[in-house]
Amino acid sequence: MDYYFDNTAALTWHGPADKARNNVAAIQIARQLEEEGRTATPAELNILARYVGWGHSEVMNYALKNLGLESILSEKEWESVKASTLNAHYTAIPVIAAIWRGMERLGIGKLAHAQVLDPSAGVGHFKSATPPDLREKCKWTEIELDTLTALILGGLHPESKVFAAGYEDVNLPKGFFDVAISNVPFGNYPVVFDGLPGYLRSSIHDFFFARTIDLLRQGGVMAFITSRYTLDKKDDKVREYLAKQCDLLAAVRLPNNAFMANAGTEVVTDIIFLRKRFAPNKDVPSWAF
């Protein structure tokens, strides 16, 4: 059975030491589940759900100095952990809940069944926070690059299609998904992917938007937390592409401390809701420029 947040108050995060201990415990349980070929108990699920990754430098430093993190990981796992630190900042549950309320207002509940994609899933908080009346309607595909995090994700969501890979490496059907919902990685570094022109993959957050448009059905909706530079970047070519392919439904700028409690980072981010058009926009709207 998949894990859902029925009591989010139980998922409180304290200081770096507490987060580091939770992370190590989650890794150990995920390995045990894999070795024993079984699903997690309710108590184990609660520990797995507390995993917050290693993007917070104080959490990483505590685990290295006091918990022997590097010694309990394989060389491959350690390399994966180090590579993940740039974007391993997990989303605050109240922010996810607000995005789901937006999805409900847009009518996702009217769908008999919904194919839902989270292309940067972490441990799957977006699925875990699905409103109760939508859970049976949604079939999930969740993608996570970091191998350890993907292992924990699979323990929390055994009913999902979980891919432990980069978004660019997963073969997914075009025009298939009704909803895409995620906190996408952001940064000014490119992605190698043959299916899109260079300007749509020169920044990783731009790539996540452009690839998701291809994977959404016409009329499908994406709700992404992204860098402020999706909307603020001086070069408007990517926004022009988005505006031709999608209607902007809503955009909300979050306060810079929205991810401080669980991720330990201050960053300016936006939530952007887009609906894929049935035909490209001939007249590009003003928000693109």
Side-chain angles (χ1 to χ4, degrees), residues 117-152:
L117 171 66
D118 185 342
S120 181
V123 293
H125 285 344
F126 279 91
K127 180 175 183 178
S128 296
T130 307
D133 58 336
L134 297 180
R135 293 172 185 174
E136 296 300 318
K137 295 183 175 184
C138 296
K139 294 183 178 180
W140 284 78
T141 298
E142 297 179 278
I143 301 170
E144 171 52 41
L145 174 61
D146 177 58
T147 55
L148 274 176
T149 306
L151 182 64
I152 294 167

Side-chain angles (χ1 to χ4, degrees), residues 6-287:
D6 289 319
N7 180 16
T8 57
L11 279 175
T12 55
W13 284 273
H14 301 290
D18 182 53
K19 292 174 183 176
R21 287 190 289 266
N22 288 341
N23 279 359
V24 170
I27 291 169
Q28 292 169 336
I29 287 172
R31 283 175 168 169
Q32 185 178 355
L33 295 176
E34 184 179 45
E35 290 170 2
E36 297 176 2
R38 64 176 177 85
T39 57
T41 66
E44 289 170 332
L45 287 171
N46 284 326
I47 295 172
L48 293 174
R50 291 176 178 271
Y51 186 81
V52 296
W54 302 103
H56 191 321
S57 61
E58 292 183 24
V59 175
M60 172 73 88
N61 291 339
Y62 184 92
L64 289 171
K65 293 178 181 178
N66 299 283
L67 304 176
L69 175 65
E70 190 173 355
S71 66
I72 68 174
L73 302 178
S74 68
E75 182 177 350
K76 182 178 179 181
E77 289 171 337
W78 175 237
E79 291 301 319
S80 182
V81 164
K82 288 192 295 182
S84 75
T85 56
L86 181 63
N87 285 299
H89 302 301
Y90 293 175
T91 315
I93 307 306
V95 175
I96 296 175
I99 293 173
W100 273 116
R101 288 194 295 272
M103 283 292 189
E104 288 181 301
R105 293 191 66 176
L106 292 172
I108 186 176
K110 297 177 182 178
L111 297 174
H113 301 284
Q115 292 289 346
V116 183
L117 171 66
D118 185 342
S120 181
V123 293
H125 285 344
F126 279 91
K127 180 175 183 178
S128 296
T130 307
D133 58 336
L134 297 180
R135 293 172 185 174
E136 296 300 318
K137 295 183 175 184
C138 296
K139 294 183 178 180
W140 284 78
T141 298
E142 297 179 278
I143 301 170
E144 171 52 41
L145 174 61
D146 177 58
T147 55
L148 274 176
T149 306
L151 182 64
I152 294 167
L153 173 63
L156 285 165
H157 295 158
E159 296 175 14
S160 289
K161 293 180 181 177
V162 174
F163 293 91
Y167 193 23
E168 67 275 16
D169 295 322
V170 180
N171 185 18
L172 297 169
K174 291 186 177 183
F176 178 75
F177 293 97
D178 300 288
V179 171
I181 186 169
S182 195
N183 182 353
V184 302
F186 37 90
N188 191 26
Y189 55 92
V191 177
V192 178
F193 184 74
D194 292 336
L196 290 168
Y199 78 97
L200 292 176
R201 48 183 175 81
S202 60
S203 296
I204 191 167
H205 45 281
D206 294 337
F207 165 73
F208 268 72
F209 275 87
R211 180 153 201 230
T212 302
I213 288 173
D214 284 346
L215 299 178
L216 282 176
R217 66 168 177 80
Q218 292 175 328
V221 173
M222 74 170 84
F224 281 174
I225 300 171
T226 182
S227 163
R228 61 175 290 191
Y229 293 107
T230 297
L231 294 180
D232 287 355
K233 186 162 46 182
K234 289 183 179 179
D235 187 340
D236 57 26
K237 287 193 298 184
V238 174
R239 285 193 301 277
E240 183 177 357
Y241 177 83
L242 297 179
K244 285 182 177 178
Q245 305 298 323
C246 300
D247 293 322
L248 177 65
L249 303 178
V252 179
R253 178 144 296 171
L254 297 175
N256 65 354
N257 62 353
F259 299 96
M260 179 56 68
N262 63 316
T265 185
E266 289 190 5
V267 61
V268 179
T269 54
D270 294 333
I271 303 172
I272 300 176
F273 287 81
L274 296 173
R275 177 180 283 128
K276 184 174 178 178
R277 293 178 55 84
F278 285 83
N281 219 334
K282 293 181 181 179
D283 298 317
V284 180
S286 60
W287 67 266

